[in-house]
Amino acid sequence: MSVASQSTPLISRMLSCSVSIANQAGKIIREIMRHGELGIVEKEHAKDLQTEADRAAQRCIVTSLSKQFPKATIIGEEGEDECKDTSGHVFDPSTASSLHITCPSHLASVPEEEVVVWVDPLDGTAEYTQGLLDHVTVLIGIATGGKAVAGVIHQPYYNYQNPGSELGRTVWGVVGGEVGGMPMVSPPEGKLIVTTTRSHSSSTVNDAITSVSPTEVLRVGGAGHKVMLLLEGRAHVYIFASPGCKKWDTCAPQAILEAAGGTLTDIKGIPIPYHVSAPHRNSTGVLASAAGQSHETFLNKIPQHVKDNLKA
Ligand code: AMP
Ligand code: MG
Ligand code: MG
């Protein structure tokens, strides 16, 4: 049997299952793009899109995870109505090889009913529809006690422009424990590379970026993708002084970044809460620093008017 036994701590089992399920969701996302029928609908506004890939990936993740962990609360980005049809979308993680993830002692006895899983089945939907496929990620974030404690970021299109190389990669981490799936790299010294949104900019977003005097700004899609840039040493800090990001965008990236030694808070330095009744929206923005960077120094440089503009 490849799924870890019941004596393995819940967080380890859940994370291992989430890795297999995220990989399966990635296959669904690629399959829908291959067929080309994206079924795009607008959600809150013209830049806030949902495709059949978002819906099908969410069906797969939510139904598969809830079958394995029926007492956990799972909150997915896409509305339940659009994702009702679950036929053919349950994936059995025991059919995939499982990871043996060591659980840090402070998480060893978390009960299933105290876990909240925040799911972004496809982060970077605008970019997916525009063919910027390497911006797309699948995010599964595990929270307990209101904190992000473990997570998975899967990039279904990693290497898609390098034929012959393995397509896709998946990184995972547990706060206070292991990180796996790719090597962690420090960003270059003597530079300050900021990453931020490419499709949700504003004058406040830009004022926050200018305040840290970057040597380069990478405007790319997706919260998951931007945190990947921090993990692989391609950017020093992710700054987003705007209320548009949601808990499912930040839970998994935050857990992995913190497991790797980095930090993710709101733009004022306040921890983002992930308990079951937390508001979905991260109203006070996002600031994420790579391992080895001074989060405090970035926070101190963000202008007061930017912080005042973002109200909880
Ligand atoms: P971005 O960095 O613009 O790709 O945004 C990261 C995540 O936050 C994506 O899931 C976006 O859909 C979401 N997001 C950011 N700003 C907004 C907004 N103004 N409206 C809706 N979603 C947003
Ligand atoms: Mg998203
Ligand atoms: Mg999404």
Side-chain angles (χ1 to χ4, degrees):
M1 193 171 118
S2 57
V3 164
S5 76
Q6 294 295 320
S7 62
T8 307
L10 173 83
I11 297 296
S12 302
R13 284 188 287 123
M14 221 177 203
L15 188 54
S16 174
C17 279
S18 298
V19 167
S20 314
I21 293 169
N23 290 340
Q24 182 65 19
K27 285 183 193 158
I28 293 170
I29 289 168
R30 289 192 297 255
E31 197 55 30
I32 288 171
M33 180 55 82
R34 220 175 352 253
H35 285 283
E37 283 169 30
L38 298 190
I40 299 173
V41 295
E42 280 181 20
K43 296 200 290 185
E44 283 175 27
H45 51 78
K47 284 186 186 169
D48 190 16
L49 306 177
Q50 183 197 68
T51 69
E52 180 52 26
D54 299 69
R55 295 184 287 272
Q58 171 150 322
R59 274 178 225 133
C60 168
I61 297 168
V62 173
T63 55
S64 310
L65 262 183
S66 57
K67 189 146 194 257
Q68 299 291 326
F69 305 100
K71 292 187 222 147
T73 303
I74 304 172
I75 304 174
E77 171 173 9
E78 311 309 337
E80 282 171 23
D81 285 352
E82 293 91 327
C83 302
K84 256 184 191 149
D85 169 20
T86 57
S87 52
H89 289 284
V90 182
F91 172 70
D92 177 2
S94 70
T95 59
S97 63
S98 73
L99 295 166
H100 296 282
I101 300 165
T102 309
C103 189
S105 56
H106 71 285
L107 297 172
S109 51
V110 173
E112 198 174 308
E113 47 275 27
E114 286 181 18
V115 170
V116 183
V117 186
W118 293 92
V119 176
D120 189 339
L122 195 167
D123 184 41
T125 302
E127 288 72 21
Y128 178 71
T129 63
Q130 293 161 15
L132 296 167
L133 299 177
D134 48 353
H135 298 212
V136 169
T137 59
V138 176
L139 305 175
I140 304 179
I142 300 172
T144 188
K147 293 187 176 143
V149 297
V152 179
I153 304 176
H154 170 61
Q155 288 182 304
Y157 290 101
Y158 178 69
N159 265 338
Y160 84 110
Q161 286 169 319
N162 299 321
S165 308
E166 195 185 342
L167 184 61
R169 70 174 167 178
T170 308
V171 61
W172 52 267
V174 191
V175 177
E178 298 175 77
V179 187
M182 67 179 226
M184 299 292 125
V185 180
S186 297
E189 285 179 25
K191 290 185 179 179
L192 179 56
I193 306 168
V194 174
T195 184
T196 193
T197 182
R198 63 177 279 281
S199 58
H200 298 105
S201 238
S202 69
S203 59
T204 310
V205 165
N206 289 329
D207 286 353
I209 294 165
T210 309
S211 71
V212 304
S213 308
T215 57
E216 200 181 329
V217 181
L218 300 176
R219 294 180 189 273
V220 299
H225 179 213
K226 285 187 268 291
V227 170
M228 288 299 275
L229 297 181
L230 301 180
L231 297 171
E232 63 188 354
R234 289 170 61 199
H236 299 74
V237 62
Y238 165 20
I239 305 178
F240 186 55
S242 171
C245 224
K246 315 289 189 322
K247 298 287 176 297
W248 45 74
D249 291 305
T250 49
C251 186
Q254 176 170 344
I256 300 168
L257 184 64
E258 289 187 0
T263 309
L264 189 152
T265 65
D266 78 358
I267 209 84
K268 306 175 193 201
I270 297 168
I272 296 176
Y274 292 102
H275 48 79
V276 66
S277 53
H280 291 171
R281 190 176 288 268
N282 291 325
S283 309
T284 44
V286 175
L287 183 78
S289 315
Q293 301 300 304
S294 168
H295 195 70
E296 200 64 31
T297 304
F298 295 129
L299 278 172
N300 290 339
K301 286 185 177 166
I302 303 290
Q304 196 55 45
H305 79 269
V306 169
K307 292 176 179 163
D308 292 345
N309 261 352
L310 294 168
K311 302 230 163 35

